[in-house]
Amino acid sequence: MSTAAPRPAGTTSASTERSSVQSREIGAALQRALRQSKLTQGTIAGKLGWRDSKTSRMVTGYMAATGLDVAKFLVAAEADPDEIDRVSAVADLSPQAYSVQAHPVNLPDMLPTLLHLGANAHTIISYQPHQLPHLTQTAGYTETLLRDNGLLAMETVRDGVAARQKHQTVLSRPQGPATTIYINETALRRSLPSQIATEQRHHFHALVRHPRCHLRILPAAAAVTTMPGFTLFEDDRKNQVVTVFTPTAMLVLDNPNHLAPYQQTIAQLASRALPETGSVARLLARGTFGGETTC
């Protein structure tokens, strides 16, 4: 949510003092459509009879555009009809509706907003108190969690596993984000099937060798369990967004007042976590996932 006064849904001429996460998501989709079409902003503006300044502010995320204007832009860029429908629907959401996005149980990865934030992040900090954070999970670990809750059809489980794996590709991008992931030590005690446990340890081996990915363990006695799972994203313009995970909805927060508690929690996590070398040793220990090894 922007710190500017809430805008009425459907406003096209109003601009904000700063971009919102909603307008930046729309702008990124328009940029993607431009690249795929090989057209310029000027060409689109000419087709639609718009001023160049209007298309520029839409594409850079500094204009609150309606779904109708977004659809016109994407049609002019010859975008896929499904993408036109999706991005237009995002534009027509009120800021409040955008800030609370429903998803299947425990699957925020199904939301395009989460993919947008990861794809545009310069820095990511993530913590989930009761499981391995999403960015560290193998497909087998994710499937085990989703099947165990018994609330999802198998087709949704498979789609959810694929979506989480797609979300993790942010870590393999060239010049990808500097990522710090805090892991509650109790999540490492969860008993897993032998093959799943082995795969997860092998995945940790790959993650700890990643030059921009830092994994740190919180001893069980020092873990912050009163906060829900969350991830902070910061882009190269210093825009910060926190996504907060509830079982069936993801909160999308960018108001500085709303970010402050999560920034304070991150400071607590940093002060309480084991050093990275000790964390790596714990993650790779043979007793992880059902063993007796402790921090």
Side-chain angles (χ1 to χ4, degrees):
M1 292 178 286
S2 171
T3 54
R7 59 175 174 84
T11 299
T12 56
S13 59
S15 63
T16 57
E17 293 180 359
R18 66 184 182 91
S19 63
S20 70
V21 60
Q22 183 178 10
S23 64
R24 292 194 298 273
E25 180 177 350
I26 294 165
L30 301 185
Q31 291 176 41
R32 189 163 55 248
L34 279 177
R35 288 195 300 271
Q36 292 171 350
S37 70
K38 296 183 170 55
L39 298 175
T40 67
Q41 292 180 36
T43 301
I44 297 292
K47 281 187 174 185
L48 297 174
W50 291 351
R51 294 181 178 178
D52 288 344
S53 60
K54 176 174 178 173
T55 56
S56 177
R57 291 183 69 79
M58 286 175 62
V59 167
T60 55
Y62 278 94
M63 182 174 185
T66 63
L68 180 59
D69 275 354
V70 166
K72 288 179 178 178
F73 185 108
L74 292 174
V75 168
E78 301 180 357
D80 181 84
D82 288 342
E83 180 71 350
I84 295 172
D85 290 343
R86 183 190 73 78
V87 184
S88 300
V90 171
D92 276 337
L93 290 173
S94 70
Q96 291 79 13
Y98 182 88
S99 296
V100 183
Q101 300 189 27
H103 55 70
V105 179
N106 295 326
L107 281 175
D109 319 77
M110 305 287 274
L111 298 172
T113 294
L114 194 60
L115 284 175
H116 158 72
L117 291 169
N120 291 276
H122 183 267
T123 303
I124 296 176
I125 302 173
S126 188
Y127 175 61
Q128 289 179 257
H130 305 300
Q131 61 179 268
L132 296 181
H134 295 159
L135 286 171
T136 69
Q137 295 179 11
T138 63
Y141 182 96
T142 301
E143 182 175 345
T144 298
L145 290 185
L146 297 178
R147 292 182 65 175
D148 284 355
N149 72 33
L151 298 174
L152 297 171
M154 274 309 302
E155 181 179 358
T156 305
V157 169
R158 288 191 291 270
D159 290 345
V161 170
R164 188 155 299 170
Q165 293 295 297
K166 183 176 181 181
H167 176 44
Q168 291 176 9
T169 60
V170 63
L171 299 180
S172 58
R173 281 194 349 240
Q175 304 302 313
T179 304
T180 301
I181 300 173
Y182 293 98
I183 300 174
N184 188 340
E185 191 265 344
T186 58
L188 302 178
R189 298 176 181 171
R190 179 190 180 100
S191 293
L192 296 172
S194 176
Q195 181 178 350
I196 302 299
T198 299
E199 290 173 352
Q200 188 65 60
R201 284 196 297 270
H202 288 168
H203 188 51
F204 283 149
H205 273 278
L207 288 176
V208 299
R209 291 197 298 268
H210 191 298
R212 295 175 62 80
C213 185
H214 308 282
L215 307 183
R216 296 188 61 191
I217 301 300
L218 282 147
V224 179
T225 57
T226 56
M227 292 288 282
F230 70 91
T231 300
L232 182 146
F233 301 89
E234 182 176 284
D235 66 18
D236 57 7
R237 289 189 277 175
K238 303 298 182 183
N239 296 305
Q240 289 191 341
V241 179
V242 166
T243 56
V244 184
F245 305 121
T246 78
T248 57
M250 181 178 77
L251 309 184
V252 184
L253 308 175
D254 69 346
N255 184 304
N257 292 330
H258 298 157
L259 298 182
Y262 299 95
Q263 293 165 335
Q264 292 171 1
T265 298
I266 288 169
Q268 291 179 339
L269 296 172
S271 66
R272 298 178 183 181
L274 294 179
E276 194 166 355
T277 52
S279 296
V280 168
R282 173 66 180 95
L283 285 170
L284 304 185
R286 296 180 65 86
T288 300
F289 305 118
E292 298 300 323
T293 305
T294 60
C295 290

